[in-house]
Amino acid sequence: MVVAAPLSAWPWENLGFYKYLLYGPLLGKFVYSRIQEDTPDETWCLYILIISILRGIIHLLWISFSNMLFLNRNRQIIQKGVDFKQIDREWDWDNFILLQALMASMVYYIFPCFENLPLWNTKGFVAILILHVTVTEPLYYFLHRHFHNHFLFTHYHSLHHSSPVPQVTTAGNATFLEQLVFSTVTAVPILGASMMGYGSTSMIFAYVLVFDFLRCLGHCNVEIIPHKLFETLPFLRYLIYTPTYHSLHHTEMDTNFCLFMPLFDALGQTLNSKSWQQHEKITSASGNKGRVPDFVFLAHVVDVTSSMHAPFAFRSMASLPFTTRLFMLPLWPFAFAIMLMMWAWSKTFLFSFYYLQGRLHQTWVVPRHGFQYFLPFARDGINKQIEDAILRADRIGVKVISLAALNKVCFFFSFFFPIAQKSNTENESLNGGGTLFVDKHPNLRVRVVHGNTLTAAVILNEIPKDVKEVFLTGATSKLGRAIALYLCQRKVRVLMLTMATERFQKIQKEAPVECQNYLVQVTKYQAAQNCKTWIVGKWITPREQSWAPPGTHFHQFVVPPILRFRRDCTYGDLAAMRLPDDVEGLGSCEYTMDRGVVHACHAGGVVHSLEGWTHHEVGALDVDRIDVVWKAAIKHGLRPVSSLKIKILYKLILCVEKLRII
Ligand SMILES: [Zn+2]
Ligand SMILES: [Zn+2]
């Protein structure tokens, strides 16, 4: 059994979210003093609470900024993604704020000099600056170097260095003992200036908040200090560190120990000789294009609430599957305003990235929400955005781009709308659309992939082999047609719900003659009242769902997903696949998908890219390629997500039914 070193763990480690209740006594004390007469003024409690909130806000703003890849991708110091492991390890990055709030309360009781502090005292600012430079900086430097000694490093400081990519959250990620020591060092100038009689509330606020700001700066992994500043005022480089400077401490560890002032590294002869060179290299390279991704997934925003599920909004929330959380609701108007601003000004932007087998994969987002795709007057604008994104990908040398749910529907349908009107069937129009797009840009080097072949493969592989009959809605859509044609060749009877007899017959004629009678046109939901496998490709109402017999499983390829209304039935998720285990730097969840899971159309593009296929996957689905794409996906280590879950559910349903019969 490994015993943790003393004071390495946090005392409230097991409290989880409830640790915030420890701020409660401060709030209680302040409120009590306000309602109860004849009690001393306890406004200091309120000040501690306000400063703690402001410190949290400073960190959150820095986290947001450093995750805005569309602003700073070319200024990233370490060009790696932050993975789920690091996010989880740094989950409680704000522990030190709580610790310092509790320490501040104790200090208030011990030292009477904090009573009745004035709001402002200029002398205090001078005193605290002098104390910081002469006491805190050298003391921190000295202690930090000692924390790199074998014992202290192994048991305490290694946690701070365990994050491969320094992040704002890394700044606060340290063991309890370390934070106790460093907090004491931070408190010295505040205590000193106040004991001299120069203390003021504004001095304490300013010192603590500037301190946090500089800690965040050093860990943000984005170089924002221009090198020109140091060229003009060379002495400045010894007075203030840069994100590159502290990043070198994280990667090389035996240099750059200082708190904020490289002067002390210079004095202690631990200044990394590459510091300024690297700083210049990163700032001067920030105007360059950066590495070209091998693959791009072109996504869109689903709705206003889910727009907050982004690493630059709430990184920790974005690392979990999306669900609506209470704290998001008051922020809804703000997110709505952002949506309007994006509609007016934004272009497709870089959202996230990860590496797979050494290849760079990026997600770009079309700045439009789901509902906008259904507004006729917004369609032209959306299609222009999508076309521009594809052409940009082509220009910079991206090899494969795959389109998310509404992007392909909107694009392929509306972009070629005049053709659609001429053709007799929806399939022809979509089919023609894909072909025509490639025709319009014959020299396109980027391969455009709708990813529907893999989506079909995922759905088809979820259907147990012993199923003899399925009911299919959205039966004449691209995916519906492919699923029907594939299943009838497996001798599965497909009840295809469609009013359009002509379209149905056209699909039926595509099937081999001996399989054609397995495709059956139905026009009412009643026809499926004995069929327990429903494949939903067109949204169905709870009323329509009520025709399904108990124990039905609803597979679906419809956006948004259908309401889970039937208690006696089970519902599949949208088709998805798990990325291979060797994926690197993946730290956000794709909408409601689990960690490491992506929508099948995303996975389809990944497979296309890994296989190096040179054809575009546009227009109608080639049924013969379903198995080819599936095998390629499995070969590259992508794994089905829900097949196991669904098989277990089917077995459970069968057991329950057997019990009923007994
Ligand atoms: Zn260190
Ligand atoms: Zn650090």
Side-chain angles (χ1 to χ4, degrees):
M1 194 174 80
V2 182
V3 180
L7 295 179
S8 60
W10 288 84
W12 48 79
E13 204 161 270
N14 296 328
L15 290 185
F17 185 75
Y18 295 105
K19 71 182 179 193
Y20 297 108
L21 292 177
L22 294 172
Y23 286 106
L26 285 166
L27 184 65
K29 204 166 170 52
F30 170 70
V31 173
Y32 183 77
S33 75
R34 280 295 151 117
I35 27 181
Q36 200 71 22
E37 284 173 18
D38 307 327
T39 47
D41 182 22
E42 307 282 17
T43 317
W44 64 274
C45 294
L46 182 67
Y47 286 150
I48 292 180
L49 289 172
I50 292 175
I51 205 168
S52 301
I53 292 168
L54 289 176
R55 301 181 80 180
I57 291 174
I58 285 185
H59 280 79
L60 289 177
L61 291 176
W62 268 103
I63 293 169
S64 289
F65 168 73
S66 66
N67 280 286
M68 289 178 179
L69 297 172
F70 49 90
L71 276 187
N72 57 37
R73 64 174 179 278
N74 295 334
R75 290 175 174 275
Q76 301 263 322
I77 299 162
I78 296 179
Q79 306 252 345
K80 284 183 189 166
V82 179
D83 60 15
F84 295 116
K85 265 192 221 155
Q86 179 172 342
I87 292 171
D88 287 348
R89 211 184 295 123
E90 294 176 350
W91 199 268
D92 289 312
W93 60 268
D94 60 345
N95 270 342
F96 75 99
I97 301 179
L98 176 55
L99 172 71
Q100 292 182 5
L102 300 178
M103 284 172 81
S105 317
M106 276 161 53
V107 168
Y108 179 83
Y109 282 116
I110 299 169
F111 299 94
C113 60
F114 289 106
E115 272 177 42
N116 307 315
L117 280 182
L119 197 63
W120 183 271
N121 184 341
T122 312
K123 282 182 189 165
F125 283 88
V126 179
I128 206 164
L129 192 64
I130 294 171
L131 284 168
H132 176 83
V133 176
T134 55
V135 183
T136 303
E137 285 283 347
L139 202 55
Y140 180 93
Y141 174 82
F142 172 81
L143 290 166
H144 188 183
R145 274 192 79 167
H146 273 80
F147 266 107
H148 276 261
N149 288 347
H150 182 68
F151 177 81
L152 288 176
F153 186 81
T154 316
H155 295 286
Y156 299 97
H157 193 49
S158 56
L159 177 70
H160 183 69
H161 281 273
S162 62
S163 304
V165 187
Q167 289 286 289
V168 175
T169 42
T170 315
N173 191 39
T175 51
F176 183 56
L177 179 84
E178 256 178 304
Q179 289 291 13
L180 266 180
V181 173
F182 291 139
S183 300
T184 313
V185 176
T186 317
V188 169
I190 301 176
L191 200 58
S194 304
M195 284 170 89
M196 286 178 208
Y198 302 142
S200 66
T201 321
S202 50
M203 179 201 78
I204 299 176
F205 268 67
Y207 182 73
V208 173
L209 297 180
V210 170
F211 193 98
D212 278 358
F213 186 90
L214 292 175
R215 287 283 288 169
C216 292
L217 168 78
H219 289 89
C220 72
N221 196 38
V222 180
E223 188 48 83
I224 51 169
I225 298 185
H227 190 259
K228 282 224 167 87
L229 184 71
F230 289 165
E231 275 171 23
T232 325
L233 304 166
F235 67 93
L236 261 188
R237 66 182 69 178
Y238 292 102
L239 299 188
I240 183 77
Y241 75 166
T242 64
T244 311
Y245 186 92
H246 190 68
S247 186
L248 276 169
H249 172 68
H250 275 261
T251 44
E252 300 192 6
M253 292 207 272
D254 53 350
T255 51
N256 295 6
F257 293 97
C258 75
L259 177 58
F260 304 132
M261 299 175 74
L263 173 70
F264 293 93
D265 276 311
L267 293 174
Q269 298 184 330
T270 50
L271 200 149
N272 193 314
S273 56
K274 287 180 282 191
S275 300
W276 319 127
Q277 223 179 330
Q278 199 137 321
H279 180 230
E280 188 185 3
K281 200 171 131 200
I282 291 168
T283 47
S284 52
S286 63
N288 300 347
K289 295 256 161 38
R291 182 172 165 181
V292 175
D294 298 90
F295 161 69
V296 166
F297 178 54
L298 191 62
H300 59 82
V301 191
V302 178
D303 56 38
V304 176
T305 321
S306 73
S307 69
M308 290 179 250
H309 185 250
F312 52 80
F314 297 100
R315 190 189 73 156
S316 46
M317 289 307 119
S319 76
L320 299 171
F322 171 73
T323 51
T324 305
R325 290 166 204 276
L326 266 183
F327 79 92
M328 288 177 170
L329 299 180
L331 297 170
W332 198 93
F334 183 69
F336 186 79
I338 301 265
M339 182 273 293
L340 292 178
M341 284 193 262
M342 289 206 303
W343 202 353
W345 297 300
S346 175
K347 289 203 165 123
T348 298
F349 60 91
L350 171 61
F351 182 79
S352 63
F353 71 95
Y354 63 89
Y355 290 92
L356 186 64
Q357 297 173 15
R359 292 154 180 257
L360 175 60
H361 291 186
Q362 289 181 342
T363 294
W364 296 359
V365 172
V366 174
R368 295 293 185 271
H369 291 49
F371 78 91
Q372 288 163 313
Y373 287 77
F374 299 96
L375 304 174
F377 59 89
R379 282 198 155 189
D380 282 350
I382 294 175
N383 283 316
K384 180 87 180 66
Q385 290 268 2
I386 300 169
E387 191 181 10
D388 284 351
I390 293 174
L391 294 177
R392 189 168 99 208
D394 186 59
R395 210 168 41 242
I396 64 173
V398 176
K399 295 192 185 66
V400 174
I401 185 165
S402 79
L403 310 179
L406 293 172
N407 283 342
K408 54 197 164 210
V409 176
C410 190
F411 188 62
F412 287 129
F413 192 73
S414 299
F415 189 69
F416 303 102
F417 197 59
I419 312 292
Q421 282 177 328
K422 275 184 218 157
S423 47
N424 293 331
T425 72
E426 183 198 0
N427 276 321
E428 266 178 22
S429 73
L430 294 169
N431 202 342
T435 319
L436 277 171
F437 174 74
V438 180
D439 286 350
K440 186 184 174 189
H441 302 285
N443 298 324
L444 209 61
R445 285 166 309 159
V446 66
R447 301 293 133 187
V448 183
V449 174
H450 54 43
N452 283 343
T453 316
L454 190 57
T455 307
V458 170
I459 297 166
L460 289 163
N461 275 281
E462 282 173 358
I463 298 170
K465 298 280 176 279
D466 52 351
V467 164
K468 291 281 166 258
E469 185 181 66
V470 302
F471 173 62
L472 180 65
T473 79
T476 56
S477 66
K478 263 197 292 192
L479 264 165
R481 167 191 157 273
I483 288 169
L485 287 172
Y486 186 95
L487 284 174
C488 77
Q489 289 175 37
R490 241 167 65 181
K491 308 275 188 268
V492 175
R493 216 164 98 93
V494 186
L495 307 174
M496 297 169 69
L497 181 80
T498 176
M499 300 297 162
T501 308
E502 206 181 320
R503 282 191 206 173
F504 166 76
Q505 284 170 346
K506 191 165 179 294
I507 295 171
Q508 197 180 30
K509 272 190 205 131
E510 282 188 71
V513 184
E514 70 278 13
C515 306
Q516 283 179 0
N517 58 340
Y518 285 94
L519 297 179
V520 182
Q521 185 191 4
V522 296
T523 52
K524 290 197 173 83
Y525 287 88
Q526 286 93 311
Q529 55 188 323
N530 293 319
C531 178
K532 287 192 178 173
T533 305
W534 284 40
I535 307 172
V536 183
K538 194 177 152 220
W539 213 79
I540 52 172
T541 61
R543 203 183 140 85
E544 288 157 352
Q545 285 182 37
S546 64
W547 287 105
T552 296
H553 183 78
F554 293 94
H555 299 266
Q556 48 182 328
F557 58 97
V558 58
V559 181
I562 55 171
L563 298 176
R564 294 171 182 243
F565 151 80
R566 291 280 301 268
R567 291 258 170 112
D568 54 350
C569 297
T570 50
Y571 293 81
D573 297 318
L574 287 180
M577 291 202 89
R578 186 173 292 283
L579 289 171
D581 290 336
D582 55 356
V583 61
E584 287 172 86
L586 180 67
S588 53
C589 288
E590 206 168 272
Y591 194 39
T592 53
M593 298 289 149
D594 277 341
R595 288 179 166 189
V597 176
V598 294
H599 291 90
C601 45
H602 179 153
V606 171
V607 174
H608 207 95
S609 157
L610 290 174
E611 281 287 311
W613 284 329
T614 51
H615 64 280
H616 295 284
E617 188 187 294
V618 289
L621 244 138
D622 182 352
V623 179
D624 294 335
R625 285 199 62 81
I626 293 177
D627 285 337
V628 177
V629 174
W630 178 256
K631 280 182 190 147
I634 300 296
K635 182 183 90 187
H636 288 291
L638 285 105
R639 280 164 295 148
V641 183
S642 48
S643 57
L644 186 68
K645 237 178 353 186
I646 288 170
K647 273 174 196 153
I648 293 169
L649 281 172
Y650 267 110
K651 289 219 166 110
L652 272 176
I653 292 164
L654 285 175
C655 287
V656 170
E657 279 193 353
K658 271 180 198 159
L659 281 174
R660 264 195 203 155
I661 295 163
I662 295 165

